[in-house]
Amino acid sequence: MLAALSALWLLLAAAFLAALLLQLFLQPPRAGPWRGLFQDLIRYGKTRSGCGQRLLEVPKRWFSHFYILSVIWNGFLLLLLIQALFQARPFPVWLHDLLSALGGASQNKDEGEKSLSALLVLILLWLHSFRRLIECLCISVFSNGALHIVQYCFGLGYYIAIGLTVLCQVPANASKGKDLFMQICWYHILGILIYIWASVHQHRCHVILANLRKNKSGKVVNLGHSVPFGDWFDRVSCPHYFAELLIYISMAITFGFHNLTWWLLVMYVLFNQALAAVLCHEFYVNKFSSYPTHRKAFIPFLF
């Protein structure tokens, strides 16, 4: 039987797969309340133009709130994990009980390398959130785009759940102190290398997008949309979404390839980012008549 968090990620993956298929192949008639609600909940930013009720929208620039929360919350969880592994301090009772309820049997397995894997993944997750926060605050130029309040609340909950998902992979009898780094394996190194590679490209893509709205001196001169070029934009419309998927795959590799819960989370990220990429690609194709026809939406050469 799947643990609670595994079931959650499976359910979310299935929901976003269904939404993706509905958007691609089974679009309902353009009129009607159900279509309006569906489009209202899957679109944000530039793809949301003219969609939804203003009273239920928040600015897209509030994306930074997700990363503020993640840096604080997952930084707190990282501190507790470091104390548990290196100072033999048990998790607080409330957290231990919560992890037991969410993680089920995974909390009781004593698998040596899992402690180091969880520590590395939580560090990577925190670094990812910190970088994205810096990009939101210092690099990205947000237009007047919006997202639905449900999407906003969902995003906040997501960054709480993902840190708990990592901690649920820590065995109850975790290795302590100096023995921890004796567990390092080849897949830890491979995962970190892929993480760095994907993060570098994602950062470059965010810089390219931001520069479309700036002049050569770095001053913001417009909030419109233009066709981006350079780096992975030469292959896909949304390379930053593709890089996001690779980042989560790199964490799955760091877990040793065999962590079912994390692969279910990766499936959710895949379908979530694919849906966003399809909508974004559709926006570019409809808005720019000379948009490069060889570009895929999400995954180079495939989709």
Side-chain angles (χ1 to χ4, degrees):
M1 181 177 178
L2 287 177
L5 273 177
S6 298
L8 171 65
W9 295 121
L10 177 60
L11 178 63
L12 288 175
F16 276 89
L17 173 59
L20 176 62
L21 294 176
L22 185 61
Q23 180 65 25
L24 286 174
F25 304 115
L26 300 172
Q27 292 194 35
R30 292 192 174 276
W34 290 111
R35 174 177 171 80
L37 178 61
F38 174 69
Q39 296 296 327
D40 208 20
L41 292 176
I42 67 172
R43 295 179 180 272
Y44 63 89
K46 57 180 172 286
T47 68
R48 189 178 172 79
S49 178
C51 177
Q53 302 179 26
R54 294 294 180 184
L55 291 176
L56 298 177
E57 293 180 344
V58 298
K60 187 187 173 185
R61 65 178 61 90
W62 283 17
F63 257 68
S64 60
H65 296 181
F66 301 153
Y67 304 116
I68 292 172
L69 174 64
S70 182
V71 167
I72 295 173
W73 169 249
N74 292 314
F76 170 66
L77 296 183
L78 177 59
L79 176 62
L80 293 180
L81 180 57
I82 290 174
Q83 290 177 338
L85 294 178
F86 293 96
Q87 299 177 7
R89 292 188 185 181
F91 290 148
V93 174
W94 64 268
L95 180 59
H96 180 272
D97 292 344
L98 178 59
L99 294 176
S100 297
L102 294 175
S106 65
Q107 277 290 306
N108 300 318
K109 294 179 180 178
D110 185 10
E111 300 178 18
E113 74 280 0
K114 289 187 71 174
S115 299
L116 179 58
S117 296
L119 176 62
L120 292 175
V121 169
L122 197 52
I123 291 173
L124 296 180
L125 176 63
W126 188 88
L127 289 173
H128 177 59
S129 299
F130 181 75
R131 175 180 62 81
R132 289 294 294 118
L133 176 59
I134 296 301
E135 289 174 349
C136 284
L137 296 178
C138 304
I139 296 176
S140 297
V141 180
F142 292 101
S143 65
N144 295 321
L147 63 157
H148 196 280
I149 187 66
V150 172
Q151 295 171 317
Y152 176 73
C153 294
F154 179 86
L156 295 175
Y158 169 78
Y159 282 101
I160 292 175
I162 194 172
L164 294 173
T165 301
V166 177
L167 284 196
C168 279
Q169 314 314 309
V170 180
N173 299 321
S175 298
K176 306 296 192 298
K178 63 180 181 180
D179 296 329
L180 187 65
F181 290 100
M182 298 299 293
Q183 303 168 10
I184 193 164
C185 298
W186 63 270
Y187 53 77
H188 293 139
I189 298 173
L190 177 61
I192 292 172
L193 290 176
I194 294 176
Y195 170 88
I196 294 172
W197 174 62
S199 297
V200 167
H201 281 284
Q202 188 180 58
H203 175 73
R204 289 176 180 172
C205 292
H206 287 144
V207 170
I208 289 172
L209 288 173
N211 286 341
L212 292 175
R213 294 174 172 172
K214 299 177 182 178
N215 59 21
K216 292 183 179 180
S217 64
K219 181 180 179 180
V220 177
V221 293
N222 73 83
L223 297 179
H225 299 286
S226 305
V227 179
F229 291 93
D231 203 74
W232 288 354
F233 279 110
D234 294 335
R235 296 295 180 186
V236 291
S237 295
C238 302
H240 46 315
Y241 297 162
F242 178 55
E244 186 81 1
L245 173 63
L246 291 178
I247 286 170
Y248 280 89
I249 290 176
S250 75
M251 295 178 188
I253 294 172
T254 305
F255 268 127
F257 290 95
H258 51 70
N259 190 298
L260 174 62
T261 301
W262 200 264
W263 280 114
L264 291 174
L265 190 156
V266 170
M267 286 178 57
Y268 155 73
V269 173
L270 168 63
F271 298 132
N272 173 282
Q273 298 294 288
L275 176 60
V278 164
L279 296 173
C280 188
H281 183 73
E282 178 186 81
F283 171 86
Y284 282 128
V285 170
N286 292 336
K287 184 175 178 63
F288 303 103
S289 58
S290 60
Y291 192 73
T293 57
H294 67 276
R295 288 190 190 180
K296 298 296 184 179
F298 182 40
I299 300 176
F301 308 109
L302 296 177
F303 177 75

